[in-house]
Amino acid sequence: MFTLRGTWMRGGTSKCWLFNGVDVDPLIEDAGSLDAILTAAFGAEDPRQLDGVGGGSSTTSKAAVVRRSSDPATDVDYLFGQVAIGDRRVEWGSNCGNCATAIGLYAVQAGLVPVDATTTSVRMRNQNTGAVLVAEIDTPGGSIPVQGDAGVPGTRALGVPVALTFVDLAADPTSLLPTESVTDPVTVGGRDYRGTLVSAGAPTALFGAADLGLTGAEDNACIAEQIPLLVELRSEAALRMGLRRPGEPVAHAVPKVGIVGPPRDYRTSSGVEVAAEDYDVSVRMVSMLAPHPAIGLTSRSRSPRAPHCPVVSSPIMPGSRGQARCDSARPPVLCMSTSPRPRTDIPTR
């Protein structure tokens, strides 16, 4: 057994364990691999992760190794890992925007970046995908925040506000659409479902809600009933996107899969009424084979208004408000809240 120093933080609607590269690197040789360290620390083999620090759900089984970047154009590099649940495995093919908000604040608190007298910007590179993100934290008078009262939909917890911008998704117009088509028919059970297969932030398959007899604004219980179909669609999409070969299993973390539809009135899980005119697209995502309780920020970066995507119509969203446009010169700023927890020594086997 050995001890690994880590920091537990909430980023948006995810809980993330963050590790400084200088603490992790000396342990890898003795442990055998970074995967071995994380699966032991999280208790990944147990479906409820009872023997580790994981929370037994896709939004609470996340880790990142953070280090100062050797690239002068970037402040920190981070490697994101989605730790499996019920399996000793870590998937490295994705990114997590919620955790990125935590990483930005962590970089400030851990002294990885100089603190500005007003607002500290942290330029981060996700080593999994090459994407570049910028986190902005208010640091008036050079003070480093440790508590805040900002909130985000999907949790009642409050925390330090962090503005996150995707400035470079490390994708060109060709790689954004691996099949070179805006929509593709994906066949499951002898029926075609229209989907958009996109690689931006993380590989994702988005399907028209109407094709599944849904609206895109359903609650988790309804989405859970559609999991078997969405899992099959995801598997076929992975084949088309070149993420697996025929006969091979599909990874749990990517591609992401979700449904989209036009805006409509709905009620959130916390009971808040939302009017259709207040938003543009209904989105429900699946994460690690379960309904996502909110929407991941990497999923947001793949939505029709994401930066760096082509300006296209939305044929999988009948009744939508016409063209979904994105402006690569003005990427969206997403305000998240992040709650830090004290650094903790984690025993690993």
Side-chain angles (χ1 to χ4, degrees):
M1 179 180 289
F2 54 87
T3 299
L4 171 63
R5 184 180 293 272
T7 301
W8 176 32
M9 302 181 78
R10 177 178 62 82
T13 55
S14 291
K15 286 198 305 184
C16 317
W17 276 97
L18 307 180
F19 305 98
N20 195 314
V22 299
D23 295 323
V24 174
D25 292 345
L27 303 177
I28 292 178
E29 183 175 356
D30 288 342
S33 66
L34 180 55
D35 293 54
I37 293 175
L38 293 180
T39 54
F42 275 70
E45 191 170 9
D46 182 77
R48 290 187 291 172
Q49 296 181 328
L50 289 177
D51 201 22
V53 300
S57 70
S58 67
T59 56
T60 59
S61 190
K62 300 182 177 186
V65 178
V66 187
R67 64 183 75 243
R68 283 193 178 94
S69 178
S70 59
D71 183 351
T74 306
D75 297 311
V76 297
D77 295 327
Y78 70 94
L79 184 65
F80 170 75
Q82 181 75 56
V83 182
I85 302 168
D87 189 5
R88 294 183 67 87
R89 180 164 51 90
V90 182
E91 295 191 2
W92 300 103
S94 187
N95 189 10
C96 176
N98 280 302
C99 285
T101 65
I103 292 167
L105 182 58
Y106 170 82
V108 174
Q109 294 178 339
L112 298 179
V113 296
V115 179
D116 187 77
T118 54
T119 301
T120 299
S121 295
V122 184
R123 190 173 179 88
M124 307 174 290
R125 184 180 302 278
N126 172 244
Q127 293 178 293
N128 309 72
T129 64
V132 176
L133 306 85
V134 174
E136 294 182 324
I137 301 101
D138 288 339
T139 51
S143 62
I144 299 175
V146 295
Q147 293 182 329
D149 58 3
V152 294
T155 177
R156 296 179 182 179
L158 303 179
V160 176
V162 177
L164 186 70
T165 307
F166 289 77
V167 297
D168 184 359
L169 294 177
D172 57 43
T174 302
S175 62
L176 272 175
L177 300 171
T179 65
E180 300 183 2
S181 298
V182 173
T183 59
D184 290 274
V186 178
T187 305
V188 168
R191 178 179 172 184
D192 287 344
Y193 297 85
R194 292 173 297 166
T196 294
L197 313 182
V198 59
S199 289
T204 301
L206 297 172
F207 294 92
D211 282 0
L212 281 70
L214 303 173
T215 65
E218 285 77 10
D219 60 21
N220 276 355
C222 184
I223 297 299
E225 296 175 357
Q226 301 294 324
I227 291 294
L229 173 57
L230 289 169
V231 167
E232 288 193 67
L233 289 169
R234 178 176 174 271
S235 179
E236 290 300 312
L239 192 62
R240 285 174 171 262
M241 299 174 77
L243 298 175
R244 72 174 183 92
R245 296 187 180 92
E248 289 183 344
V250 61
H252 282 183
V254 291
K256 308 294 185 186
V257 65
I259 62 172
V260 295
R264 58 180 291 134
D265 297 345
Y266 78 101
R267 177 180 295 175
T268 70
S269 57
S270 58
V272 176
E273 300 288 344
V274 180
E277 58 265 25
D278 291 338
Y279 69 106
D280 297 305
V281 181
S282 296
V283 183
R284 292 311 317 270
M285 298 298 298
V286 171
S287 177
M288 299 290 284
L289 310 183
H292 197 294
I295 179 171
L297 291 192
T298 50
S299 299
R300 168 60 181 83
S301 75
R302 295 179 297 269
S303 71
R305 290 182 179 270
H308 300 285
C309 64
V311 178
V312 296
S313 60
S314 304
I316 63 173
M317 296 187 296
S320 62
R321 299 172 178 175
Q323 288 195 323
R325 297 183 180 274
C326 38
D327 184 350
S328 61
R330 296 173 57 86
V333 176
L334 308 173
C335 293
M336 305 300 295
S337 75
T338 310
S339 296
R341 295 292 183 270
R343 290 170 67 89
T344 304
D345 291 339
I346 305 170
T348 62
R349 296 182 303 279

